[in-house]
Amino acid sequence: MPDFEGRLVLGVFVAQGSRLATSGVISGRPIAQYGYDDGCFQLARKWRDNCFNKHILSCLQPMKRPLPTRVIDVSPIDGPWEPRLKVTGCEEGEWVALSHCWGTKSRFVTVSSNIEASMCSIPLQDMPPTFQDAVYTTRQLGYRYLWIDSLCIIQDDHQDWVVESTRMREYYKHAAITISCDSASGDDVGFLKHERKVETLSVILSSNDEVGFRQQVKWPKFQRRDTFVSERAWTLQEFVLSPRSLSYTSQQIVWECHTRKYCESSENSLEDSHLTQFWGTKRFFSALATSRQQVSKFGYVFHHLCRWYNLVNDYRLRDLTYGQDILPAISGIAREIRAQAGGTYLAGIWLEDIHRGLMWAMDGAGKIPETYHAPSWSWASLQISPDALNTLNFLYWMIRLSGTPLVERRATLLSHEIIAEDNDMFGCIRFGSLRLRGSSLLARKWQGSYKGGLRTHFHQPIHLTSNQLIFQLDVFDEKVEPLDVLANALLFQISSWKWDQDRPEVALALLLVKVGDQPIETYRRVGMAEVPNVDGLAEEGWEMRDIRII
């Protein structure tokens, strides 16, 4: 693996149990050629047992809980029968969950017409390779029950899908281990028989110790599309909510729990530094005991709202087969946040932080979907290209919960309305609106200068004049000039911030366009803007107005 300057970086490793290993001189370890190697399963069991025995206060510990509605009974490793679909009733137990990419070539699912046959048996040879490998791994880890979404939810039964999708949070959160098939692009690929192609060179030292050299092995962060699984939207909550993940990557197995991260290629934890603890995705949902301990060390990063904005930023770069799943596919995380911290959830935004939550950024990378996903004030209303800039609620990063910005003005939320499908406020949305009272100005009446694109008065020094209105549109249309869109828009201030005494007060405003003739002035969002309050530019000529945004 080249470093930032293009140089080849080599890793050093020695055999487990060798003198240089036991003395702690070299932490690198050999990597098995295939994931089904006995050494890989021994290592996974070692990591699991270490978590169970040493992370009692920081990782959610396994215990017998009510099983999911249906599980795959994989039978004991030397059992005489094939796997089968089991309806659990009120039975308790432990289970392993699977996180995988369905892919496009295999469609091995449970439907109404085959569920009775599946309850008798699901011949292992009929399963696609990924499911075969998951059954084998579950047995090797010493568990009997496996939960796979495509087999344990009746895929052609809408009501069953509605019920089971609301329980996914519990299924992953309380799984003993989640197997993540990061090296498999689809169920037809599998993950145990994938050959790890890592070139090595062995050298015998004068001390008769054998030392190996190889190109530095990757250990994915499982974010920003760095594995097949992290390209998919649904798998984010599967990874984050699971207390323990065993990931089969293209080069090695990786273990990550709420406390530590280990990989096959090294004896040392990858989470020993403050930096990796800070950025680890699972850290955002560490057990509450750990969160309380870590808040004093890392401050705002463990606040539940900061967790949410970080995860949404990752989530928006992931793929969905069905666009209408944009809110259901992250609903498990939203439910967990409400369980931990309370709050009212409105189509991807938290009511208690709405003045920040409305200030998400698209910088022109959005695309209006063919079907309705969410109200225009929600980030979930638009599709986005994975190659686009981040959709992070960037204002939140500037201000941060540990800072003490001065809030000068805020729009007043008068009312809100959400009409949800299937009465699930965390699922698909049929309609949503906000009624707000705030300061507004027709954009064409702005008395200062303009600047388009993702720039900000909060980051200085920057090449901006102090009276520039900085704006960005959610959707960029090559056929329409941005200034023409701005000329027909209403600036509606949501909140006003003053970071410190040396910088001007800046108001954050939505760019809105009017929708039809209705009793209440009704608008939809088309962008956002930063309004510097220099020489009264954010006050003079602005009018208080009651509006509705849909």
Side-chain angles (χ1 to χ4, degrees), residues 224-293:
R224 308 298 172 85
R225 306 175 66 86
D226 63 353
T227 68
F228 285 119
V229 166
S230 63
E231 292 179 2
R232 303 299 301 170
W234 280 96
T235 58
L236 176 64
Q237 65 179 12
E238 297 167 6
F239 180 76
V240 169
L241 295 174
S242 300
R244 285 162 289 273
S245 293
L246 177 63
S247 300
Y248 284 81
T249 75
S250 60
Q251 292 189 319
Q252 60 179 325
I253 58 171
V254 177
W255 171 273
E256 187 165 0
C257 62
H258 284 158
T259 306
R260 284 287 181 264
K261 184 173 184 174
Y262 294 101
C263 65
E264 184 182 347
S265 60
S266 176
E267 186 72 13
N268 292 338
S269 168
L270 299 174
E271 295 294 342
D272 287 335
S273 72
H274 289 336
L275 183 62
T276 49
Q277 280 277 359
F278 182 91
W279 287 111
T281 300
K282 268 193 189 298
R283 299 302 86 73
F284 294 141
F285 275 83
S286 57
L288 286 178
T290 301
S291 295
R292 287 193 290 268
Q293 296 167 7

Side-chain angles (χ1 to χ4, degrees), residues 483-495:
L483 287 178
D484 290 341
V485 177
L486 186 66
N488 294 310
L490 178 75
L491 290 164
F492 189 87
Q493 294 185 25
I494 298 297
S495 54

